Amino acid sequence: MSRVNVKRVILSPRFKQIYTVTRTGGHFEKGKFVLDAPSKFNISGVITVASAKEVNMIPEGDKINGAMVFYSLVPLHTTTNNPNAISDIIEWQNNKYKIMQVNPWIDYGYYQAIAVRMEGY
């Protein structure tokens, strides 16, 4: 049985798109969490509309509009998988998306992030 090489699809010029990730870390100082300056970097990957199954994977699934799935070879962060940072924000097609869940398909060499459009951006 042949498998689709997702990593190859993510790198394919036919499917990949460029998007910008804003990552904000932080540290504890005198018992308070202090945010560091945000950093921005570009990633190329495949972007698709989130399916109903993917939307239901996140707790806010019944309230979500504009959910997208971002596939990348670079780890993306949520607050829960990196307690010293806030969730990554993705800028794509003049919209901002907050990452709500990351599925690390590390054995296959890629990450799947479900993100929701942030209102007002």
Side-chain angles (χ1 to χ4, degrees):
M1 180 168 104
S2 68
R3 292 186 182 169
V4 173
N5 184 338
V6 177
K7 192 173 181 179
R8 189 171 166 189
V9 173
I10 291 171
L11 294 172
S12 169
R14 294 178 62 199
F15 300 109
K16 73 178 179 180
Q17 297 183 53
I18 304 289
Y19 52 94
T20 302
V21 175
T22 301
R23 181 165 293 160
T24 306
H27 61 279
F28 286 95
E29 195 172 284
K30 297 182 183 176
K32 289 188 176 185
F33 188 72
V34 178
L35 291 175
D36 297 331
S39 62
K40 287 189 176 194
F41 54 94
N42 289 331
I43 293 180
S44 63
V46 175
I47 303 166
T48 63
V49 175
S51 69
K53 182 179 177 182
E54 290 163 331
V55 168
N56 285 331
M57 291 170 64
I58 52 179
E60 299 83 5
D62 59 345
K63 304 176 203 169
I64 292 186
N65 292 323
M68 301 296 287
V69 179
F70 295 84
Y71 295 89
S72 77
L73 304 181
V74 177
L76 296 167
H77 296 173
T78 65
T79 303
T80 55
N81 73 358
N82 186 0
N84 292 326
I86 60 174
S87 295
D88 288 343
I89 304 295
I90 292 176
E91 295 175 47
W92 175 70
Q93 292 191 351
N94 297 319
N95 287 302
K96 289 189 178 185
Y97 297 85
K98 180 179 180 181
I99 296 186
M100 303 300 286
Q101 180 173 337
V102 176
N103 299 311
W105 295 96
I106 298 165
D107 291 344
Y108 302 102
Y110 72 97
Y111 298 84
Q112 175 198 46
I114 303 170
V116 296
R117 188 175 59 230
M118 298 171 65
E119 297 298 323
Y121 291 98

